[in-house]
Amino acid sequence: MEEVPAAPNEGISLSALRSQFSVNGEEGPKYGFDGSRYHYGDGTSVASQNSSQILTGYDTLDVGPNYDFYANTNALGRVRRSRPSLFQLHSNIEVSSTHLASRAPGDSSEDDVEEPQSEPTRFGWVKGVMIRCMLNIWGVILYLRLPWITAQAGIGLTWVIILLSSCITGITGLSTSAIATNGRVKGGGTYFLISRSLGPELGGSIGLIFAFANAVAVAMHTVGFAETVQALMQSGASIVDPINDIRIIGVITVTCLLAISLAGMEWEAKAQVLFFIVILVSFANYIVGTIIPATPQKQAKGFFSYQADIFAENFVPNWRGPEGNFFGMFSIFFPSATGILAGANISGDLKDPTVAIPRGTLMAIFWTTLSYLIIAATIGACLVRDASGIMNDTLAMSSADSCQGLACQYGWDFTDCITNRTCTYGLSNQYQSMSLVSGFAPLITAGIFGATLSSALACLVSAPKVFQCLCKDNLYPVIGFFGKGNGKNDEPIRGYVLAYIIAVCFVLIAELNTIAPIISNFFLCSYALINFSCFHASITNSPGWRPSFRFYSKWMSLLGAVVSVIIMFLLTWWAALIAIGIVIFLLGYVLYKRPSVNWGSSVQAGSYNMALSYCVSLNQVDDHIKNYRPQCLVLTGPPSCRPALVDFVGTFTKNLSLMICGNGGPSPATLDTASSNSHVTWLNKRQIKSFYHGVVANDLRTGVKMLLQGAGLGRIRPNVLLTGFKRDWRKDKPSCIDNYIGILHDAFDLQYGVCVLRMREGLDVFRQAQTHGEEPNNQEDFMLFYNPQPSTVFQSQQGKKTIDVYWLFDDGGLTLLLPYLLTRKKRWARCKVRVFVGGDIQRKEEQRKEDAAIIFVYVLCFCKPDVFITFIDLNPPHPMTKLTQVRVITDLCSLIDRTMPVGRRGQCPSALYMAWLETLSRDLRPPVLLVRGNQENVLTFYCQ
């Protein structure tokens, strides 16, 4: 008989469909497809479905891949669509066909479409990144200090300084490109890149430091501008004196820049383009000036056009003054290479940051480095180090033999000013040497204005935007006030004002060579952290670290980080210590406060890798008694319902051993992710270091069995079961009592130690609330709305009380170990331990010797010589008398710790065993802990 294939809505393979159905309406063997319906031999037909519906055999809510499912922001003009949950796909939910046909999960209807908003101003990689970075790099140092650095270090070492700076910034640029291509980049620039990659700890530190460094850089570039204006004013009238003139001009300039910034990013971008054109024109003017033959006026000031002798002499260093050393020159020059993140700092204003930041940043580094090398070489080949500027200092025949300096070869005698060190011109003496060399000096002045103002403006924009993103994350107190934005571009007006105030404070220093080294250390610190963040993300094998930038190397990032730190100390060791100290302080604050942010950082990935590695390595080492730790599985149910049990166990396991709060029962909410997270959140707020593990089972005993066998990982797994005492055992069903005692038997079968905690007022605060007339709907509602963090006796100081230990039976030492662990904690440290040891009253003399041996064991194991040990008779004529004799009145006792008897399975009825436990623990004011080890040693007084 021929096999008939199943209908599509009953499930059918793709090959079966191909063989049995016709295509485009052509007749098949028995079946057909007309483009909209499948036809069967019996005359029936069904509507066509998508491939996933055919393969699964029923109507499905599955949808195809969609960008919105992976984005965490809404697209302009519509609501973001969402992927159906696994619960929706897997559960048997009846959904009307009309609803399925009209709107599938993940689709958005016309009702969801929002009113389109106006698109804010966005920039491409040239205008938004490359030009901005080049302008920020071409700052005051280029025009006013590079010729002077060339005179000090020589052309050769100046090239080394330039290339070393470019190597550091280039490696940082590669790292920044890797981070920028690791995911979608939002606003916040450098801070956003680092914090989302490395985490809030270092991200917050670098955000504050980088924002502060940019604010100070505003002052540096403004002071350079003011120096130029003041130099132009020397030929005419001055305002007060040179220093105060710089201060006045600087404050006015910063105020004007603030006004431009407040006008918005669009106006600021237009101003930057204008500055860029001015600088390019000044460069062309400078190159033309080096080629034009020198006039007598320029020769008197040391300019002789291109000369091989001048190049050779200026190639070697000639150190002068207190800054006259390699690292002194490096510290002054390095800020001129630090503008590489100007584009990344406005990442929120870029059209496509993942493309714009790598391309624009690296191109800016290349072109600016090339320009620095060219200017250092050309000016060093044209201008001598010392010149008087006096037209009468021509070389006379009589003084040819005594003439000093290279200018003698070209007919000029600057011997007097060289000898007296009074030369006012030349590379070593005039900061404005580029104006002298150029074809038209005012264009160089315009270039200085463009470079200084553009760099100051870029820094003034970058600092508030980075700071604004940091403030919005609420990592630090107080600063949230500056997170508010205004306008369609969310401009940080308050941040602009703060950056303005910082800039004005440093403008008042009015000394460029003093401000530059301060900035160098902060920027080097920033670059070191950027490179380290990339290296750390790479070595931790973080699944979230997958940059698409192919030129990235983790070893280059490590090299950049190490070199940056070394140079920090070589430049100014005390400034390096201050910068690192600030980072450590800010890092410590964030670690202490633990802000509630989760950015999937490399720190999280590193922690996971370390934890996994250590867990696996434990399998290679056998357990030893000296390393025994009571690793506790605590049957809390929802932890918030039994806070006293949680607090008690958390006291002696904190920073010592494992604690797992177990919850097992028939409710599916036990495994719900949101519910589990709420339990963990409750534990964290209570400062309890514990895991939460929930299982779904038909009954409590089955759930506990699952926990006993499945909780933990490798050697990090529970070995002690803790539960509360069943107070209602007299009223409850016999089956419930059997289940409770059965849980204890199951724990013993699996070689667990067992502890039972009893308190006079009970442990279950949920039941206590019901007893007092409160009617919360369920335990989850109670946790959220009914005193979610109640206080317990175990949270308070225990004072000078006692812990009474009744070591009735030798269980391996767990009964003795737990009180000792309690006394190691601050709340219990003043408590004295009283140990009552069981024995036979008829063997007094022998018992004294055994008591002495027990004291010896306790002192050697725990190094606590103040233990008090006494003897009680545990050999009375009747077993129940034996139990009642250990019940004592303890007015000054914080805890009673007693060895729990073990009932034989099948021989001791559950009710009788509960009666034993009742007799040991009832009507006692302090909490009672019944302890039974697994009969294996947990104590040792040997050293091996």
Side-chain angles (χ1 to χ4, degrees), residues 612-632:
L612 183 62
S613 176
Y614 289 146
C615 286
V616 173
S617 64
L618 287 176
N619 293 330
Q620 304 172 8
V621 181
D622 293 333
D623 291 332
H624 193 279
I625 298 175
K626 289 196 300 183
N627 293 327
Y628 175 84
R629 301 166 187 263
Q631 304 189 123
C632 302

Side-chain angles (χ1 to χ4, degrees), residues 361-406:
T361 302
L362 296 178
M363 288 297 292
I365 293 173
F366 172 77
W367 290 117
T368 54
T369 301
L370 183 62
S371 65
Y372 282 144
L373 294 173
I374 292 174
I375 291 174
T378 53
I379 202 165
C382 297
L383 199 62
V384 296
R385 285 189 168 100
D386 297 292
S388 65
I390 301 174
M391 293 294 297
N392 293 330
D393 283 347
T394 55
L395 181 64
M397 296 299 297
S398 58
S399 61
D401 295 336
S402 60
C403 183
Q404 297 182 18
L406 195 61

Side-chain angles (χ1 to χ4, degrees), residues 145-158:
R145 290 299 182 271
L146 183 58
W148 176 71
I149 292 173
T150 304
Q152 291 270 355
I155 298 172
L157 288 183
T158 301

Side-chain angles (χ1 to χ4, degrees), residues 211-241:
F212 177 76
N214 273 280
V216 178
V218 175
M220 182 188 73
H221 294 295
T222 304
V223 168
F225 170 80
E227 272 190 13
T228 304
V229 175
Q230 190 271 334
L232 293 175
M233 293 171 58
Q234 284 184 349
S235 57
S238 62
I239 303 174
V240 183
D241 55 68

Side-chain angles (χ1 to χ4, degrees), residues 26 71 144 341 352 383-384 387 425 470 574 578 589 602 626 681 756 838 878 914:
E26 296 181 7
L144 299 183
L341 299 178
D352 188 356
L383 199 62
V384 296
Y425 292 93
L470 174 64
W574 56 267
I578 292 175
Y589 178 84
S602 62
K626 289 196 300 183
T681 301
V756 178
H878 193 275
M914 285 300 303

Side-chain angles (χ1 to χ4, degrees), residues 506-519:
F506 279 87
V507 163
L508 297 179
I509 297 176
E511 180 54 54
L512 188 62
N513 291 356
T514 302
I515 301 174
I518 298 175
I519 299 175

